[in-house]
Amino acid sequence: MKRLIERGLMFGNLVHVTSPVLVERYNRALMHLTGKSTALGDFHVDISGFSPEIGAELDDELYLNHNGVNRQFILLTTEQKRAPLLNAKFSTSRTILRSFIETNEAQLFALTAKDAVAGELVNSVFRVESPARLFDIRRIKVEADTTAGTVATAGRLGRLIDRFKQEDDAWFDDVLIAQMIELARQTGDVVRNPVALAHTEFEQDNFWTAHFGGLYIFRDVAEPAAIAAGDKAALGALPIESVYDLRDRTKIAIFLEVNGLAEPIVRARGIDAAAILYQKMDFVVAELAARLGEDLRGATRRDLRALGRRHAERLPEEYHGLAALARWAEDGGPWPRITSEHPAYFYTLRAAAVPDADLVNRLLAQLSPLDIRQLFICHKEAFYDAYARWPEEKRAYVADFLAREYQVDKAGTRDALFGHEASMDEPQNIAPPAPRPDDLIARVGPWGAVRRS
């Protein structure tokens, strides 16, 4: 993993904590949350305040995420909103934390100017003893305050102010006035500068969890389902009708189609579909070449195509399916019929413009693991796990490729691969054109409607 760290592909964009004042605040918050402290003088933190250095020091990678549920967090600065979330157990956790920080940025900026803000993503489940318990998680509430309790104190002061305004004889209540003055010394003027945190509850209907080998739960769709990364039989009884694992390719294809969650790359607006398909083909060649012991250091696209020609007879079905579709997209070659059982099928899809597009792309990345770029962007956990098991030749190529072609323009690459242009509505007084073959594709899917068996 050292190569990934050196290239900023692992532990990148963490916030470096070097100030003795911030270290002291962090320790105060850490003791407040966990009863532990660090002896380190500087360290890096993610969006939740988790530090890999402190995790190693304490020999506890979950020191802010006990049992992998109800993640705790420490905010030293609102700049943490740009950092990743390490050791994520739920796909929604970073989104919730970032939304919370951005919604309350002015308040949190003022609070962290004097103290650390400590808190927790709370739900009604404190331990997931079985997969079925995951379905009890529906709403996440963010509880946060400074270590000195400024938010809670401001709440008490606000209630006293309301009482002072409402009671007729409050001007003569010396005890009430004395309490207000004492609390105001701690919080400042909460009338002009309210100390209250908004938007603290979030729904969690559709999500991925790392628990039980990885599990996707889709509840807020027309036809709900759970999809396991491992053996679905090991999950036991679940409170949902449809349960699949990654081997159920046709069932997953049907699930994506009937819920309108995915679209074929060749139908996506505003992207160069052929270029994306050719890049995916290069990744397939790299996988084969690495297994054959080829030197991939500094390999260019031309080098990979040469390797593809050299080992043409060994190229897998993923390559041939993508090549056929690329020929169709680029110069009108024959339309390839690729069923959901074809190894290339999920490589040809991306998430549709739906609220859970990131979750769908995460699932598609796991279903098309040879696409190392999509795996890295959409499913970091699966990427790091796979990277550890790759031959050295592939690790060198992947790290070099991502540093050279992804790190330089992350936002642009993500937008080119997964962004969605606004639809262009036809004027109402113009008759629609005659149906074309690709209009039919849009209605029934890229390879024809996926039929239930």
Side-chain angles (χ1 to χ4, degrees):
M1 299 295 181
K2 182 179 179 182
R3 184 186 285 113
L4 295 179
I5 296 172
E6 290 173 345
R7 286 167 169 75
L9 299 169
M10 190 175 190
F11 302 146
N13 293 332
L14 297 181
V15 175
H16 194 190
V17 180
T18 58
S19 163
V21 173
L22 293 183
V23 172
E24 190 275 330
R25 289 179 186 173
Y26 186 93
N27 253 333
R28 198 160 63 237
L30 185 59
M31 181 63 68
H32 174 74
L33 289 176
T34 69
K36 301 175 182 179
S37 62
T38 176
L40 300 180
D42 74 288
F43 45 85
H44 296 79
V45 296
D46 69 2
I47 188 173
S48 74
F50 167 78
S51 166
E53 298 101 325
I54 296 176
E57 177 195 21
L58 300 176
D59 192 24
D60 184 4
E61 295 298 308
L62 296 178
Y63 72 90
L64 285 181
N65 196 16
H66 187 59
N67 293 325
V69 191
N70 296 295
R71 182 133 192 170
Q72 296 174 306
F73 61 88
I74 298 172
L75 297 180
L76 298 175
T77 168
T78 54
E79 288 303 303
Q80 286 174 233
K81 70 180 182 179
R82 296 185 175 86
L85 179 65
L86 305 181
N87 299 327
K89 296 298 182 182
F90 291 90
S91 59
T92 53
S93 296
R94 184 178 185 274
T95 302
I96 290 173
L97 279 170
R98 177 153 188 163
S99 178
F100 172 74
I101 294 171
E102 290 179 339
T103 300
N104 297 283
E105 190 153 7
Q107 301 286 4
L108 292 171
F109 182 84
L111 291 171
T112 55
K114 298 181 179 180
D115 198 357
V117 172
E120 185 174 349
L121 305 185
V122 181
N123 65 71
S124 60
V125 175
F126 298 104
R127 188 181 186 90
V128 284
E129 305 90 349
S130 68
R133 287 287 282 158
L134 292 166
F135 289 80
D136 294 331
I137 301 174
R138 291 188 172 274
R139 178 169 295 182
I140 306 298
K141 183 176 181 180
V142 182
E143 293 184 355
D145 203 342
T146 65
T147 56
T150 304
V151 176
T153 301
R156 291 198 299 273
L157 177 56
R159 289 190 292 273
L160 291 180
I161 291 173
D162 291 339
R163 179 181 156 193
F164 181 81
K165 291 178 177 179
Q166 294 166 4
E167 295 181 1
D168 294 335
D169 57 350
W171 278 104
F172 305 101
D173 190 335
D174 294 337
V175 174
L176 175 60
I177 294 173
Q179 289 175 331
M180 291 167 57
I181 293 173
E182 179 60 30
L183 293 177
R185 288 195 180 107
Q186 302 174 44
T187 66
D189 188 347
V190 296
V191 175
R192 293 186 179 181
N193 303 294
V195 184
L197 300 174
H199 193 37
T200 59
E201 291 195 4
F202 300 82
E203 298 295 329
Q204 183 166 290
D205 288 320
N206 303 332
F207 62 92
W208 167 88
T209 176
H211 291 283
F212 307 106
L215 184 64
Y216 298 83
I217 295 176
F218 291 88
R219 292 181 292 199
D220 187 23
V221 292
E223 294 197 17
I227 303 172
D231 184 1
K232 63 186 177 185
L235 299 177
L238 297 180
I240 195 167
E241 182 177 351
S242 300
V243 181
Y244 313 129
D245 59 37
L246 300 185
R247 296 170 297 185
D248 297 319
R249 296 175 62 85
T250 297
K251 292 179 180 178
I252 293 174
I254 293 170
F255 164 78
L256 293 173
E257 181 183 327
V258 298
N259 290 301
L261 296 177
E263 65 181 9
I265 293 171
V266 294
R267 287 291 301 161
R269 296 179 58 85
I271 68 169
D272 187 345
I276 293 174
L277 293 169
Y278 279 121
Q279 184 67 79
K280 290 174 183 280
M281 291 160 57
D282 288 346
F283 297 147
V284 176
V285 173
E287 164 70 14
L288 173 64
R291 285 195 284 107
L292 295 176
E294 295 280 3
D295 185 1
L296 294 175
R297 286 175 295 183
T300 64
R301 178 162 292 179
R302 177 178 295 177
D303 297 328
L304 289 172
R305 288 179 179 171
L307 288 170
R309 288 190 294 270
R310 185 187 310 169
H311 302 291
E313 74 285 353
R314 299 191 183 186
L315 289 170
E317 285 302 305
E318 288 93 336
Y319 183 92
H320 297 300
L322 289 169
L325 187 59
R327 287 192 294 271
W328 178 86
E330 190 172 52
D331 51 32
W335 173 250
R337 288 198 60 81
I338 300 177
T339 71
S340 56
E341 293 297 328
H342 194 290
Y345 181 80
F346 291 107
Y347 289 84
T348 70
L349 303 179
R350 70 172 195 169
V354 295
D356 291 298
D358 289 345
L359 182 62
V360 175
N361 280 325
R362 178 188 286 263
L363 173 60
L364 292 172
Q366 200 158 11
L367 287 162
S368 51
L370 299 184
D371 186 345
I372 52 96
R373 179 171 56 185
Q374 179 163 339
L375 194 65
F376 178 77
I377 295 172
C378 302
H379 202 326
K380 290 286 196 301
E381 296 79 10
F383 174 86
Y384 294 135
D385 181 64
Y387 181 91
R389 293 180 280 105
W390 287 335
E392 176 60 24
E393 292 81 5
K394 183 170 181 178
R395 282 187 282 191
Y397 164 72
V398 169
D400 181 62
F401 171 83
L402 292 174
R404 183 180 67 247
E405 298 199 27
Y406 171 65
Q407 289 289 84
V408 294
D409 186 13
K410 297 179 184 179
T413 300
R414 288 194 298 268
D415 187 60
L417 293 173
F418 311 117
H420 294 89
E421 285 191 356
S423 62
M424 298 175 65
D425 297 329
E426 294 289 342
Q428 296 302 309
N429 60 338
I430 298 178
R436 299 175 302 163
D438 54 350
D439 292 326
L440 179 62
I441 296 168
R443 292 199 301 273
V444 301
W447 321 117
V450 182
R451 302 297 182 190
R452 297 179 186 275
S453 57

